[in-house]
Amino acid sequence: MINKRLLVKNLLAHNDENSFYDKKRFLNIGEREGKAKFLKHVCALANSNPNNNSFIVVGVEDEDNTIIGTDFFDDSKIQNLVNAYLDNPPLISYENIPFPHLPDGKVVGLVTIRSNGKLCSLRRNIWKYYGGSVFFRDGSMSMPKVFDIKIKDVNSQVVAGIEQHARNNIELTLDGVIDFINNKHRNLESHYKVFKEQFVVCWAGITKKVNEPGENGAEKVYYSRVDIELINEQVRLFYSALDEVEIKTDDNTFSTTEYIHLGLNHQRKYYPLETVTITFNDNGSYKMDSTLIFEPPQYDKKLLHHVYNTNNVLLEKIKKGMSLSAAEKKDVENLPATYLICALNGFEDAREKLEKYRKIIKEYDRSVYASLKESLRVLRKVKYS
């Protein structure tokens, strides 16, 4: 098994950006330009590495390789995005890698790209790139190519060496478990479980028992402020300061069901969003499957028009620096969640409002900004499901 934290360090130490890896301060696939640039780099890295993995490291300063981190990103539908825009799409995964010096919620993102051995190209137009375009890596740049298009294997041995030096060992695994329980989450209820005598999953959170039948007739237990890590690979599987999560385990699987809190006029309830199941195999491999089970609440359109227009007025007031009444400040706290409900009920501009005003909200109130990011995350999952 590869320790992904060591892999990131080895990539950064190996060389500057090159034909098998790129680095970014952040990804912005919520906007058209950011999505197009991301797809361009994925296409170029896949074509330049037909027989080995290639990588994008997210949360690193370009000039000096300083690890600054990025927001936790759990878009399990990123493969769907790539499939929608690329012909001969590569296999792609996004993993969140914790580093000890980063604050809570900040990680290094690791995008792993595995070509299917065929020429990858844009399927349709996006931003300023035309459908049919083919990209390759030229040093640290992803460049279009229109002649002499051949995919060549030039990096397999180099990448294999880097991955070999990032192999995990029992010392790193034990240190990871002890650090997770005794240091990172010493004030939370923490657990660990070993699967197939090889894999160690740790999880922590604030527990809440409810009077609902759970496994073997016991009370159901939900976790909030949840952090889950696959210790062997130093991968953070889940992190949330807001939502509630149900966790189930057996000898072969570890599964989470995430719930989101939604509603209007103080009538809110928890809705199941997504179930993620990790199945561990005897041969030292594992498979992760995600199923979106979300059924959004539906509301009267007249009521939602009133909510939507009120939110728009509040955003303009915040933008102009105008003072807000106590009632308006309360409405701002609920603004991301109510915009989310509007978007789920057919108000197409609601998501655009959240994207457009995210910087203004971040400056206004960090807790509201955290709710905004959660709302955008839900919309992203629903869109690419």
Side-chain angles (χ1 to χ4, degrees):
M1 280 168 278
I2 295 177
N3 184 308
K4 301 301 174 62
R5 187 188 295 170
L6 285 180
L7 178 59
V8 168
K9 289 181 177 180
N10 287 337
L11 285 171
L12 296 178
H14 174 75
N15 209 328
D16 201 358
E17 296 166 304
N18 51 43
S19 57
F20 61 82
Y21 103 94
D22 197 2
K23 58 189 176 185
K24 302 291 178 188
R25 289 195 63 186
F26 59 89
L27 293 180
N28 183 13
I29 61 174
E31 296 182 357
R32 193 168 182 80
E33 179 181 349
K35 186 186 300 180
K37 290 179 177 178
F38 173 70
L39 291 165
K40 177 186 72 171
H41 291 310
V42 169
C43 180
L45 287 165
N47 286 332
S48 301
N49 298 277
N51 296 323
N52 59 269
N53 291 331
S54 50
F55 309 94
I56 302 174
V57 180
V58 187
V60 178
E61 288 283 8
D62 191 46
E63 294 80 10
D64 58 4
N65 278 2
T66 300
I67 297 174
I68 58 174
T70 187
D71 290 336
F72 182 89
F73 182 82
D74 72 336
D75 194 345
S76 57
K77 311 302 179 187
I78 197 167
Q79 183 71 58
N80 295 7
L81 168 65
V82 170
N83 292 347
Y85 281 92
L86 298 180
D87 279 327
N88 295 320
L91 290 175
I92 186 167
S93 65
Y94 188 106
E95 295 169 302
N96 297 277
I97 316 303
F99 276 72
H101 71 280
L102 295 176
D104 286 347
K106 293 291 184 181
V107 292
V108 170
L110 179 65
V111 181
T112 303
I113 300 155
R114 183 76 184 189
S115 170
N116 67 0
K118 299 179 180 179
L119 188 68
C120 180
S121 62
L122 278 183
R123 176 175 295 168
R124 49 185 170 148
N125 298 348
I126 180 169
W127 194 46
K128 65 180 183 179
Y129 306 132
Y130 293 104
S133 297
V134 177
F135 298 92
F136 281 81
R137 294 289 287 184
D138 184 3
S140 64
M141 305 292 288
S142 297
M143 303 295 291
K145 202 168 186 181
V146 294
F147 59 90
D148 191 28
I149 297 177
K150 295 180 182 179
I151 53 177
K152 301 176 183 178
D153 178 19
V154 295
N155 295 315
S156 289
Q157 291 185 345
V158 176
V159 173
I162 291 174
E163 292 178 333
Q164 182 62 37
H165 282 93
R167 292 287 172 183
N168 203 15
N169 58 54
I170 192 169
E171 180 181 5
L172 291 171
T173 301
L174 287 173
D175 287 346
V177 173
I178 293 170
D179 180 61
F180 186 95
I181 294 174
N182 292 346
N183 297 325
K184 289 183 182 177
H185 302 297
R186 57 181 176 271
N187 296 323
L188 298 176
E189 182 174 319
S190 301
H191 301 269
Y192 74 90
K193 184 173 175 64
V194 180
F195 295 89
K196 300 296 183 181
E197 301 179 330
Q198 299 180 75
F199 302 94
V200 184
V201 177
C202 288
W203 68 97
I206 299 173
T207 59
K208 181 176 73 174
K209 296 182 178 181
V210 297
N211 292 321
E212 298 177 21
E215 298 292 329
N216 301 319
E219 289 182 305
K220 269 194 175 182
V221 177
Y222 293 93
Y223 292 85
S224 59
R225 289 183 59 194
V226 180
D227 190 5
I228 304 171
E229 288 187 20
L230 178 59
I231 298 298
N232 308 68
E233 298 191 354
Q234 286 294 334
V235 173
R236 178 171 274 173
L237 300 174
F238 186 91
Y239 178 85
S240 176
L242 300 176
D243 300 331
E244 296 206 357
V245 177
E246 183 183 10
I247 296 174
K248 295 181 180 179
T249 66
D250 59 29
D251 290 341
N252 303 313
T253 63
F254 180 94
S255 69
T256 62
T257 300
E258 179 186 357
Y259 294 78
I260 56 174
H261 205 202
L262 290 175
L264 297 174
N265 299 329
H266 307 293
Q267 296 179 348
R268 304 178 65 149
K269 60 180 289 189
Y270 282 96
Y271 294 85
L273 175 65
E274 184 180 40
T275 294
V276 177
T277 301
I278 308 172
T279 303
F280 298 98
N281 303 316
D282 290 321
N283 63 0
S285 65
Y286 65 90
K287 181 177 69 171
M288 189 179 303
D289 295 307
S290 62
T291 305
L292 192 74
I293 54 177
F294 185 48
E295 295 185 6
Q298 301 297 307
Y299 290 91
D300 178 73
K301 284 293 193 289
K302 288 184 178 180
L303 172 61
L304 290 181
H305 273 291
H306 172 73
V307 171
Y308 181 71
N309 291 331
T310 300
N311 283 350
N312 293 343
V313 171
L314 289 173
L315 282 179
E316 288 300 321
K317 283 190 172 183
I318 294 172
K319 181 180 178 182
K320 295 175 181 178
M322 299 171 64
S323 60
L324 303 179
S325 66
E328 288 175 327
K329 290 179 180 178
K330 189 68 177 176
D331 286 339
V332 171
E333 293 177 9
N334 297 321
L335 184 145
T338 52
Y339 262 139
L340 171 59
I341 290 174
C342 288
L344 294 170
N345 280 262
F347 287 69
E348 298 295 335
D349 292 342
R351 174 175 178 159
E352 294 178 12
K353 292 284 186 182
L354 289 173
E355 291 281 7
K356 181 179 178 181
Y357 285 88
R358 60 187 303 163
K359 291 183 179 179
I360 294 172
I361 292 295
K362 184 177 182 179
E363 294 174 358
Y364 174 79
D365 189 302
R366 288 281 180 151
S367 63
V368 178
Y369 178 65
S371 298
L372 182 148
K373 290 192 294 183
E374 289 290 307
S375 294
L376 287 173
R377 181 175 65 90
V378 172
L379 289 173
R380 197 167 55 241
K381 282 180 177 291
V382 172
K383 179 177 181 180
Y384 291 115
S385 174

